[in-house]
Amino acid sequence: MGTEHSKNQEQRRMVFLRKGPKLPAWEDALLAGREPKSLLKRGLRYVSLSLIMKGMTSTPDFLWGLHEVQKLNLSRNQLVVIPPSLGKLDRLVVLNLGGNCLKCLPKEIGLLRNLKVLFVNMNCLKEVPAELSLCRKLEVLSLSHNCISQLPLSFTDLTSLRKLNLSNNCFVQIPLCIFALRSLDFLHLGSNKLENIAESIQYLVNLQIFIVENNNIRSLPRSLCYISTLELLNADYNAIQSLPDELYLLRRLRRIAWNPMDKGLHIAHNPLARPLPEVVEGGLDVLFNYLRDKKERN
């Protein structure tokens, strides 16, 4: 009896789907006669939905009715636009839009007041909506591999932001709003068009990892040396000729680092003036002693 009842239910559901609007081929295969909510995964922390590498060029309509979802992964598709309906998913904590073809984000992203992690890396963004600053709980933001050259001043409101990746973009200078983000402990600005680092960098008092490799930076500011929390400073592949005498104050830098994954001071592939190249080869202690003695002599 139970088997016959469930069979009738399945038949009715299939009839309903056949009578309803025709779904795109990929969406039809994804649902395969199932309720959209059956795609949700209920883990220990989040209710999640993953639609990675589905070949999507647009988002499925059923998605915006899944109000329970807290973790949504739409990465590595071919999405050109995210509709305003995104704002309906106001329980989202983690959103991954990386590896698509997005040229902009909807201003309704500001309605995601619970959002803590946002990945929009590897897209075609030229700007970021000011409304993103309404996501006051945001802690992790990756905008790497886009075409962004500036950030809205309203970003100063992202006071919970701890990790910010802006690498592989078009920044000529570090946006002023970043210096107000006092909770930052990770800042990646590698592979941009930076020519200098403003003295205001000293306001990032909790910064532990600072990456500015592969830019056009000619010198490191003295104020950088007063960020006592720094454990990794990567300035490889720049145009740096001299180092600030106060660099020895960065006591949490443990070594001259050569492996990109290692903590320490990365200063390779710069036109350092002599005798700095030879001093650097002697290791961090030798470099720090040289800079300390130099400062005392001056």
Side-chain angles (χ1 to χ4, degrees), residues 39 66-67 114 146 149 195 200 208 216-217 238-239 292:
L39 300 173
L66 301 177
H67 302 294
N114 292 301
N146 278 283
S149 59
E195 294 186 358
S200 301
Q208 297 176 24
N216 302 308
I217 297 168
N238 275 283
R292 188 185 296 109

Side-chain angles (χ1 to χ4, degrees), residues 42-204:
R42 301 180 185 275
L44 294 176
R45 295 187 63 189
Y46 301 124
V47 176
S48 62
L49 173 62
S50 179
L51 298 175
I52 305 175
M53 296 180 68
K54 299 297 181 184
M56 298 187 297
T57 55
S58 62
T59 50
D61 289 339
F62 72 77
L63 181 58
W64 315 121
L66 301 177
H67 302 294
E68 300 167 76
V69 69
Q70 296 168 289
K71 186 176 181 180
L72 176 62
N73 194 337
L74 299 175
S75 64
R76 301 177 70 183
N77 281 287
Q78 299 165 34
L79 300 176
V80 177
V81 66
I82 298 294
S85 302
L86 174 67
K88 295 179 180 179
L89 304 182
D90 56 4
R91 295 187 187 179
L92 277 180
V93 177
V94 180
L95 176 59
N96 191 341
L97 300 172
N100 280 287
C101 307
L102 302 176
K103 293 184 178 180
C104 62
L105 294 173
K107 64 181 182 180
E108 286 77 9
I109 198 168
L111 298 174
L112 307 181
R113 303 299 170 85
N114 292 301
L115 197 64
K116 290 186 177 181
V117 179
L118 175 60
F119 292 99
V120 204
N121 52 298
M122 300 182 71
N123 276 279
C124 307
L125 300 182
K126 290 186 177 180
E127 58 183 13
V128 183
E131 289 79 7
L132 183 57
S133 61
L134 297 173
C135 301
R136 303 289 171 80
K137 294 183 180 180
L138 197 62
E139 297 179 6
V140 178
L141 174 60
S142 178
L143 295 168
S144 70
H145 294 82
N146 278 283
C147 306
I148 305 168
S149 59
Q150 57 186 0
L151 296 177
L153 285 175
S154 60
F155 261 46
T156 55
D157 294 332
L158 294 176
T159 54
S160 297
L161 198 63
R162 295 187 301 105
K163 303 188 186 303
L164 177 59
N165 190 338
L166 297 173
S167 64
N168 291 272
N169 274 286
C170 303
F171 291 98
V172 176
Q173 60 184 11
I174 300 177
L176 290 176
C177 59
I178 289 180
F179 302 128
L181 306 178
R182 306 296 167 82
S183 296
L184 276 187
D185 58 41
F186 176 98
L187 178 57
H188 195 339
L189 280 155
S191 298
N192 276 280
K193 300 177 181 179
L194 302 179
E195 294 186 358
N196 61 69
I197 300 170
E199 294 285 347
S200 301
I201 193 71
Q202 65 184 313
Y203 296 125
L204 302 182

Side-chain angles (χ1 to χ4, degrees), residues 222 225-226 243-250 288 291 295:
R222 181 176 285 104
C225 305
Y226 299 112
L243 298 174
D245 294 344
E246 293 81 3
L247 198 66
Y248 67 87
L249 295 173
L250 297 177
F288 279 3
L291 293 172
K295 181 174 174 59

